[in-house]
Amino acid sequence: MNIKKIIKWLLISFVTLAVGYFAIAVPFNLVSSASSLSAGIIFAVELGIYLFIGAVFIIVTDRKEEKAKKEKARQYKRIEKRKQAQEEYYSLAA
């Protein structure tokens, strides 16, 4: 295994753990030290942020799938075009 891959893996793992910790710990600390109205606002904002991130993830995934389908269709057309050109060449040569 390459040392560069190990460092990259460790860095990604550390960042993921840190972000996950703050994503869980910060809202609980804010809610416990806030009034009921501000706690509700914090909860609504947090929920909105999570929904936004989820929507972005779904949109990106759908676009990647659509792009893959288009690429597959393009490759299929190229293969068919190549087969047709070969058939025409062989029919002319015969």
Side-chain angles (χ1 to χ4, degrees):
M1 197 173 214
N2 192 351
I3 190 77
K4 187 176 179 181
K5 288 184 181 181
I6 293 172
I7 292 173
K8 181 180 176 182
W9 179 80
L10 288 173
L11 185 63
I12 289 173
S13 297
F14 177 73
V15 169
T16 303
L17 286 172
V19 168
Y21 172 77
F22 285 111
I24 298 298
V26 170
F28 283 116
N29 289 333
L30 286 175
V31 170
S32 66
S33 65
S35 67
S36 64
L37 178 64
S38 59
I41 293 171
I42 291 169
F43 178 73
V45 169
E46 181 183 2
L47 187 62
I49 290 170
Y50 290 145
L51 289 174
F52 175 75
I53 291 171
V56 168
F57 176 76
I58 290 171
I59 290 170
V60 167
T61 304
D62 287 345
R63 284 188 181 171
K64 282 184 180 180
E65 288 175 359
E66 185 177 313
K67 191 174 182 180
K69 286 180 184 177
K70 285 182 180 178
E71 179 66 21
K72 195 170 187 177
R74 186 186 71 82
Q75 289 176 356
Y76 180 75
K77 284 182 181 179
R78 287 182 65 205
I79 290 170
E80 290 299 318
K81 192 174 181 180
R82 189 179 314 138
K83 284 181 183 178
Q84 183 182 6
Q86 286 176 350
E87 288 174 2
E88 289 175 4
Y89 175 75
Y90 290 137
S91 67
L92 287 176

